């Protein structure tokens, strides 16, 4: 039978009764669409009768468009995971990176809305490879034009073995005038081929750019493809580099057919076929040999028919499985996941370990001067103890020094404070943030590493000022100077709000006893001195030994009491300084954790979440990618 045309329908088919389909439609020779209606109209005109209206399909008849049946297996879960992956990544990855994954999701959704009973197989090949001849041989009729003129096929031509493929052909943009049905015969009534939609494509190496564009568009939408190669162009770089190699992951829905074997003498066909398999293996295409999944590779001659029945049988088994669409979508998901691997798969185990957190806390403690604050607190504790337990004469001298004279030790200590201390502390904070951000981002893919660093640096804004506040409250050396630039809403610095100095350390309970002992020693000195003075001026009877011993006891006892108190306060002072250092260290670590570590940890959790989705997408890969 020749290609089905309107004229053929008008001349060669009988009309049906009113309200019934024409006889030709009952045989399955026409598509129940535009062509059938035109043929019925032509038949009615020939009989000089009114045009019959095709009756609607019975309730028990098969629908024209059948929804895609939910696929059993991992594909739905993988598509859901890929959809969630794209949604979670939009804020971190650019649109171009996610474009292919979005296209796969859109095409999968479009394919799943259409018939699952049909398998769309494209016949693709180079100019002169004989793909149209093979297309006609499979259909059992010269549907697609063949000849020496190149290019012969300018638009996709489809041949559907059963009804209900209109939606699939609409998706492929195959015009209604180029939709055909197979000629009644063994090929048309082959039970295994029921559901096959065969599409003949233009030449992929055509000189017309629009032809190549149509090939690329249709190949992205069909369920499977038959690549037809000839002995002259089977090793063409354009075929392997542009199509076969990029589509290596689609091996399970790929047929590679060496055509025109009738032109090869003797064993040349086997040699060329072996070389073709070698090239496909270099392209990374798995070959379905020995029952393993992969591409089907065979040789035939579409012109003589040698090998065509074997190919038709293979296609029949392939179509009857009803899994081609699922395999194609799964391979598309694999390809999209492979392209996204570099932005989701980390090197090693990135994250913030306990050691990195401790080192960050140590650097912040160093920047805030926790150790110096502890030492200052210890010195302050000892100074208060010496003031309370020291001799009155020493306390009087220290009072004189603390009046704020130019030569006092306090003034000298303030003068020795480095003027660049604020800058140094800020630099230490920035360095600590930079190091912890680099540690957290180490091994992460580029976009996620950048997101981690941005989270760290954004959270670190205002961290030096917050640490200055802590240092002022703890009385760290130089904190008053650093904190002076931090203003509140009332224009007062942290030092002003805190009275300009840290709170005094508490006094132990035994200090009053030490003060009483020191007072006693002072009274002995005064009593002995007055006794000696009285003897000298003659008021009291002479006797220097007793008053001298009493005075000496007071003079010696005062320093002894002070020395004993100094020895007693050494341990408590050290503990007090260590406690002050610990509090400041914990406060600085808490501030750094809230501002830097928690935002960084949130970004890492987000990355782990998308990484889990990516693992779900690739877990059941059909291509091993």
């Amino acid at each position: 039978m020749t290609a089905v045309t309107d004229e053929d329908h008008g001349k060669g088919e009988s009309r049906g009764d009113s309200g019934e389909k024409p006889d030709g439609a009952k045989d399955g020779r026409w598509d129940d669409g535009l062509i059938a209606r035109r043929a019925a109209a032509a038949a009615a005109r020939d009989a000089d009768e009114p045009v019959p209206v095709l009756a609607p399909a019975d309730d028990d008849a098969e629908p024209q468009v059948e929804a895609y049946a939910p696929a059993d297996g991992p594909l739905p879960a993988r598509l859901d995971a890929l959809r969630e992956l794209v949604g979670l990544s939009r804020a971190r990855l650019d649109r171009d990176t996610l474009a292919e994954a979005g296209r796969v999701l859109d095409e999968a959704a479009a394919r799943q809305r259409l018939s699952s009973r049909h398998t769309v197989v494209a016949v693709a090949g180079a100019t002169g490879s004989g793909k149209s001849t093979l297309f006609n041989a499979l259909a059992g009729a010269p549907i697609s034009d063949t000849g020496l003129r190149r290019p012969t096929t300018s638009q996709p031509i489809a041949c559907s073995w059963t009804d209900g493929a209109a939606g699939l052909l609409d998706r492929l943009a195959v015009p209604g005038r180029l939709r055909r049905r197979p000629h009644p015969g063994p090929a048309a009534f082959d039970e295994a081929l029921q559901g096959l939609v065969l599409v003949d494509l233009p030449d992929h190496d055509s000189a017309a750019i629009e032809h190549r564009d149509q090939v690329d568009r249709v190949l992205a939408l069909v369920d499977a493809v038959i690549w037809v190669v000839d002995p002259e162009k089977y090793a063409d770089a354009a075929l392997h580099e542009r199509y076969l190699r990029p589509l290596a992951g689609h091996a399970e829905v790929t047929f590679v057919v060496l055509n025109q074997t009738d032109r090869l003498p003797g064993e040349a066909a086997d040699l060329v076929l072996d070389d073709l398999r070698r090239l496909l293996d270099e392209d990374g295409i798995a070959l379905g040999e020995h029952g393993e999944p992969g591409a089907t590779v065979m040789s035939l001659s579409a012109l003589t028919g040698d090998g065509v029945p074997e190919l038709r049988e293979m296609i029949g088994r392939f179509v009857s499985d009803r899994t081609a669409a699922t395999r194609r979508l799964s391979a598309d998901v694999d390809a999209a996941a492979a392209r996204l691997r570099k932005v989701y798969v980390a090197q090693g185990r990135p994250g913030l370990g306990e050691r990195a957190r401790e080192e960050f806390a140590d650097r912040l403690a160093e920047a805030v001067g926790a150790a110096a604050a502890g030492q200052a607190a210890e010195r302050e504790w000892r100074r208060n103890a010496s003031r309370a337990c020291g001799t009155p004469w020493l306390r009087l001298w220290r009072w004189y020094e603390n009046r704020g004279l130019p030569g006092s030790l306090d003034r000298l200590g303030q003068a020795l404070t480095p003027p660049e201390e604020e800058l140094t502390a800020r630099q230490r904070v920035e360095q600590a943030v930079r190091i912890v951000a680099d540690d957290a981002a180490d091994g992460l893919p580029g976009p996620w590493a950048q997101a981690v660093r941005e989270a760290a640096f954004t959270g670190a804004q205002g961290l030096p000022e917050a640490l200055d506040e802590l240092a002022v409250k703890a009385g760290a050396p130089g904190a008053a100077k650093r904190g002076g630039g931090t203003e509140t809403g009332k224009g007062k610095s942290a030092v002003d709000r805190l009275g300009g100095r840290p709170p005094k350390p508490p006094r132990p309970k035994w200090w009053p006893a030490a003060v009483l002992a020191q007072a006693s020693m002072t009274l002995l000195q005064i009593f002995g001195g007055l006794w000696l003075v009285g003897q000298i001026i003659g008021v009291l009877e002479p006797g220097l030994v007793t008053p001298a011993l009493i005075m000496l006891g007071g003079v010696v006892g005062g320093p002894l009491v002070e020395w004993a108190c100094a020895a007693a306060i050494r341990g408590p002072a050290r503990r007090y300084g260590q406690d002050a250092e610990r509090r400041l260290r914990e406060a600085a670590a808490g501030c750094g954790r809230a501002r830097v570590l928690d935002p960084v940890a949130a970004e890492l959790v987000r990355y782990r979440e998308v990484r889990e989705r990516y693992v779900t997408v690739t877990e059941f890969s059909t291509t091993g990618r």
Side-chain angles (χ1 to χ4, degrees):
M1 171 179 167
T2 59
V4 180
T5 61
D6 294 346
E7 290 77 12
D8 293 331
H9 286 303
K11 297 178 181 179
E13 300 298 338
S14 63
R15 65 174 178 84
D17 297 333
S18 177
E20 298 292 335
K21 295 182 180 180
D23 295 339
K26 295 178 181 179
D27 313 350
R29 278 178 286 179
W30 300 328
D31 186 9
D32 188 11
L34 178 62
I35 295 177
R37 290 194 297 271
R38 288 180 178 177
R45 285 196 301 270
D46 291 343
D48 213 9
E49 293 183 4
V51 177
V53 180
L54 295 179
D58 298 334
D59 294 338
D60 56 351
E62 292 182 348
Q64 284 294 305
V65 178
E66 178 182 320
Y68 191 95
D72 295 332
L75 180 59
R78 297 182 69 198
L79 289 174
D80 291 341
L82 182 60
R83 190 173 295 105
E84 294 177 4
L85 181 67
V86 172
L88 291 172
S89 304
R90 292 191 187 278
R92 298 294 178 268
L93 304 180
D94 58 84
R95 182 177 301 177
D96 294 338
T97 303
L98 299 174
E100 179 61 19
R103 187 197 67 80
V104 169
L105 290 173
D106 292 341
E107 297 301 339
R111 181 63 181 91
Q112 290 179 331
R113 286 193 297 266
L114 300 174
S115 173
S116 63
R117 295 184 301 112
H118 292 81
T119 301
V120 184
V121 181
V123 181
T127 303
S129 62
K131 58 180 179 54
S132 296
T133 303
L134 179 60
F135 176 85
N136 293 336
L138 293 173
I143 295 176
S144 183
D145 294 336
T146 61
L148 298 177
R149 182 177 57 87
R150 299 289 182 260
T152 304
T153 305
S154 60
Q155 286 184 312
I157 301 175
C159 180
S160 176
W161 265 249
T162 54
D163 297 335
L168 292 170
L169 296 178
D170 290 342
R171 180 169 174 252
L172 299 180
V174 177
R177 58 186 177 82
L178 297 179
R179 302 180 185 184
R180 303 288 189 266
R181 297 295 294 273
H183 179 72
F189 299 108
D190 189 346
E191 186 66 26
L193 295 180
Q194 302 306 302
L196 172 64
V197 179
L198 200 62
V199 180
D200 185 20
L201 298 180
D203 303 331
H204 70 77
D205 60 349
S206 173
I209 299 178
E210 59 272 15
H211 293 182
R212 299 199 301 268
D213 293 340
Q214 288 190 58
V215 172
D216 295 343
R217 177 183 59 80
V218 175
L219 286 178
L221 302 177
V222 296
D223 300 328
V225 60
I226 300 175
W227 288 101
V228 182
V229 298
D230 61 79
E232 294 179 354
K233 295 183 179 180
Y234 73 93
D236 187 15
L239 170 65
H240 289 268
E241 294 179 2
R242 185 176 180 183
Y243 294 102
L244 295 180
R245 196 168 299 164
L247 295 175
H250 296 69
E252 292 189 29
V253 292
T254 300
F255 295 78
V256 182
V257 175
L258 175 63
N259 191 19
Q260 302 177 8
T261 55
D262 56 296
R263 298 169 49 193
L264 299 174
E267 298 180 353
D270 294 335
L271 296 177
V272 173
L273 187 63
D274 290 341
D275 192 50
L276 175 60
R277 288 193 177 98
R278 178 187 63 81
L279 293 175
L280 295 176
D281 184 67
E282 292 179 357
D283 291 334
I285 298 179
L287 304 181
E289 299 174 339
H290 310 293
E292 299 177 353
T296 300
V297 183
M298 63 177 298
S299 60
L300 53 79
S301 174
L303 184 62
T304 64
D306 183 26
V308 174
E310 289 79 2
L311 176 61
R312 183 182 292 112
E313 182 181 357
M314 291 181 182
I315 295 175
R317 291 196 301 267
F318 182 78
V319 172
S320 62
D321 287 343
R322 299 289 191 267
T323 59
T326 300
R327 293 182 189 180
R328 170 60 196 257
L329 294 178
S330 184
D332 287 343
V333 173
D334 291 341
R339 291 187 181 93
L340 293 175
R341 180 179 178 83
K342 61 182 179 180
V343 296
Y344 287 117
V345 178
Q347 302 296 328
R349 298 179 61 87
L352 279 177
E354 192 62 29
R355 182 176 179 180
R357 293 175 179 271
E358 292 178 355
E359 291 177 352
F360 180 63
D362 291 341
R363 292 187 181 95
L364 291 186
E366 181 181 359
V368 81
Q375 295 173 1
E378 181 179 351
R379 288 194 301 269
E380 184 68 16
W381 207 93
R382 289 185 178 184
R383 185 180 300 112
N384 290 341
S386 64
R387 287 172 180 172
C389 303
T391 62
W393 325 116
L394 182 60
R395 294 172 64 184
L396 182 62
W397 170 253
R398 288 172 178 167
W399 171 82
Y400 173 76
E401 282 188 335
N402 291 335
R403 286 193 309 167
L405 297 178
S408 65
L409 294 178
D410 289 348
R411 292 290 185 180
L412 182 60
Q414 294 178 10
L416 293 177
T417 301
E420 68 278 3
E421 183 174 1
E422 180 180 0
L423 179 60
T424 302
R426 180 178 293 274
Q427 289 175 343
R428 288 177 178 175
V429 173
E430 293 175 352
Q431 182 184 23
V433 173
R434 184 169 58 253
I435 292 175
V436 76
D438 290 341
D439 289 342
D442 185 33
L444 284 176
W448 301 100
Q450 181 65 23
V452 166
R453 292 189 177 94
E454 289 179 357
F457 295 144
T458 301
Q461 295 178 0
L463 181 59
E465 290 77 8
L467 294 178
D468 279 344
E469 294 274 351
L470 297 176
V472 169
K473 294 178 181 179
K481 183 176 180 179
R482 292 196 306 269
T486 305
E487 298 183 355
T488 63
K490 296 181 179 180
K492 292 185 178 181
S493 67
V495 179
D496 296 332
R497 300 197 310 273
L498 297 173
R501 63 179 64 199
K504 292 184 178 181
R507 295 186 177 185
K509 296 180 179 180
W510 53 267
W511 278 19
V515 172
L516 180 60
Q518 194 65 263
S520 300
M521 295 300 103
T522 303
L523 291 177
L524 289 177
Q525 295 179 39
I526 295 174
F527 179 74
L530 292 177
W531 194 345
L532 289 176
V533 172
Q535 289 181 359
I536 292 172
I537 63 178
V539 176
L540 300 176
E541 296 180 359
L544 298 177
V545 176
T546 301
L549 291 175
I550 293 175
M551 185 176 179
L552 181 61
V555 172
V556 176
L560 287 176
V561 171
E562 184 175 359
W563 177 82
C565 290
I569 67 176
R570 188 173 303 163
R574 185 181 299 110
R575 289 191 295 272
Y576 179 77
Q578 292 174 349
D579 187 57
E581 179 182 356
R582 178 186 56 79
R583 290 196 304 270
L584 184 55
R585 177 184 292 271
E586 291 178 352
C591 186
R593 181 172 56 253
R595 291 175 175 266
V596 178
L597 295 185
D598 287 350
V600 168
E603 285 296 330
L604 292 174
V605 168
R606 186 184 184 95
Y607 167 73
R608 292 190 186 98
E609 186 176 358
V610 298
R611 183 72 173 87
E612 291 175 359
R613 300 297 189 280
Y614 182 77
V615 169
T616 303
V617 172
T618 59
E619 186 175 6
F620 298 99
S621 172
T622 60
T623 62
R625 295 188 175 187

